[in-house]
Amino acid sequence: MRKKLPPGQSEIKKILLRHVGSIPSFDLETWSLTVYGLVEKPLTLTWSDILALPSVVSVSNFHCVEGWSVLNNKWEGVSFQTIVKMVKPEENAKYVMFECDDGYTTSLPLTDLLDEDVLLAYKLEDEFLRPERGGPLRLIVPKKYAYKSAMWLKRIKFTSQQELGYWESRGYSNTADPWKEDRYAK
């Protein structure tokens, strides 16, 4: 049986607010998410398009590389699998780069993003995400440290080679597995 906390983590009750730079502001009337790169059907989704997609609820733990974890977070949003089905990645698309409104980036193998608990989340605990929590839309990848769960999503790019994101190019682990305490590049 797996422990509830990865090694080196301590439980806290609420996700701390962490970000680099200022928090972007959004107008949901003009906001959009573009999905492009090595896909058969690139698309741009408006806020109303996102809300019209099938929604899923997922309860998962959130682990920060700083050593804290918040257990049993109730997220709601669009399964990343739904986006994959819509855009139909080309055969050589093996990675996905997430580009955020503030310039932040992170990349993950497509295989890691196909887990059922990976979401493009717009709600936390039944409330729409406020900008300081990554709203209007953020990635949630529960099996990775939180810096892989990019906030303020703007663009999603499918690629054949993995590109290093903001923290990964600054010495953090590209695999970010909290169960292996994989915090920093080796």
Side-chain angles (χ1 to χ4, degrees):
M1 183 163 119
R2 185 176 246 192
K3 296 179 196 175
K4 66 180 184 175
L5 284 175
Q9 298 293 112
S10 298
E11 183 179 358
I12 63 171
K13 295 300 176 194
K14 189 174 182 180
I15 296 172
L16 299 176
L17 298 177
R18 296 284 197 257
H19 55 85
V20 176
S22 60
I23 297 171
S25 60
F26 298 94
D27 177 354
L28 293 179
E29 295 296 318
T30 58
W31 178 90
S32 65
L33 175 70
T34 300
V35 186
Y36 70 108
L38 299 176
V39 296
E40 291 178 22
K41 298 182 177 186
L43 57 84
T44 298
L45 299 167
T46 65
W47 182 243
S48 58
D49 294 333
I50 292 286
L51 295 179
L53 292 172
S55 67
V56 294
V57 173
S58 178
V59 176
S60 62
N61 300 334
F62 192 83
H63 307 293
C64 181
V65 73
E66 295 175 345
W68 54 265
S69 295
V70 179
L71 304 180
N72 302 315
N73 301 280
K74 181 182 176 187
W75 299 98
E76 183 177 343
V78 177
S79 169
F80 194 74
Q81 293 176 0
T82 298
I83 300 299
V84 169
K85 289 175 188 167
M86 292 172 70
V87 299
K88 299 183 187 308
E90 295 175 5
E91 190 175 317
N92 60 336
K94 304 293 183 202
Y95 300 94
V96 182
M97 174 63 86
F98 295 88
E99 304 168 1
C100 304
D101 197 75
D102 66 339
Y104 185 83
T105 58
T106 194
S107 175
L108 287 146
L110 178 56
T111 54
D112 288 356
L113 296 164
L114 296 177
D115 287 349
E116 290 185 8
D117 58 1
V118 176
L119 300 180
L120 300 182
Y122 49 74
K123 285 187 179 180
L124 174 60
E125 306 303 339
D126 298 317
E127 294 186 14
F128 281 101
L129 289 173
R130 298 184 320 267
E132 59 270 17
R133 295 272 180 222
L137 192 68
R138 73 172 298 158
L139 177 66
I140 295 298
V141 187
K143 293 175 183 74
K144 302 293 182 184
Y145 282 121
Y147 62 88
K148 291 291 192 176
S149 292
M151 302 191 294
W152 312 306
L153 290 177
K154 191 68 178 157
R155 286 174 297 282
I156 299 173
K157 178 174 66 170
F158 286 74
T159 62
S160 62
Q161 302 212 348
Q162 191 164 29
E163 302 171 25
L164 292 180
Y166 180 87
W167 284 117
E168 298 86 351
S169 64
R170 288 163 174 80
Y172 280 71
S173 168
N174 199 29
T175 53
D177 185 339
W179 294 97
K180 294 180 180 175
E181 212 168 356
D182 188 17
R183 299 173 195 274
Y184 304 104
K186 295 178 168 67

